[in-house]
Amino acid sequence: MEVRLLMHRPGVTCEPGTSLRDAARRMEDEGIGSLLVVDHHGALAGIVTDRDITLRAVGRGLLPEAPIESVMSPEPTTVHGYDDAFTAATLMATKGCRRLPVLDHDGHLEGVIALDDLVILFTEQLDKLVHTVALEQTPPTLKSVATPE
């Protein structure tokens, strides 16, 4: 399945100068764990997660007014909308990330895909496979044996 069919569109964005407080509030309001950081031209500049705010900001004693660019991950690993879900899963596994910005054919930001999206897809597929295997493993119904009279 293509990433574009699974991703969240559009990704929720902020600018590098957004304060940590405003970024955290935005994540809370949107019910999400990350923001895509875009420059004033709309180009992807980085990604910031709730974990980044917790560990890199609060853990280091940064003030809530500090800009998000001080804790964001610049140049994040990305995936294209036409890539398949296994490509996204492989990138997440090898790069150790839970979210990937999704780019279109021209390299413009299109959305974001999260590990949770892939887990749901793969769980649904695995459930279908388990059902198929279970049907094959079910012993055939015993036929009645006619006893001679």
Side-chain angles (χ1 to χ4, degrees), residues 69-131:
E69 66 187 334
S70 61
V71 299
M72 74 178 192
S73 297
E75 300 179 21
T77 301
T78 60
V79 67
H80 287 92
Y82 53 79
D83 287 332
D84 64 45
F86 290 106
T87 298
T90 300
L91 283 170
M92 287 182 187
T94 58
K95 301 293 185 174
C97 54
R98 297 178 52 90
R99 298 164 185 93
L100 296 173
V102 180
L103 306 178
D104 66 13
H105 287 285
D106 298 321
H108 297 113
L109 188 58
E110 191 172 19
V112 65
I113 186 164
L115 177 61
D116 295 358
D117 302 320
L118 296 175
V119 168
I120 290 167
L121 170 68
F122 295 151
T123 300
E124 289 171 352
Q125 294 303 312
L126 186 59
D127 186 53
K128 290 176 185 176
L129 290 171
V130 167
H131 179 72

Side-chain angles (χ1 to χ4, degrees), residues 22 24-32:
D22 289 344
R25 282 185 182 150
R26 183 90 189 268
M27 286 185 213
E28 182 181 20
D29 291 347
E30 298 284 342
I32 56 176

Side-chain angles (χ1 to χ4, degrees), residues 18-40:
T18 302
S19 72
L20 294 169
R21 175 184 286 124
D22 289 344
R25 282 185 182 150
R26 183 90 189 268
M27 286 185 213
E28 182 181 20
D29 291 347
E30 298 284 342
I32 56 176
S34 68
L35 294 173
L36 301 172
V37 184
V38 295
D39 65 19
H40 62 279

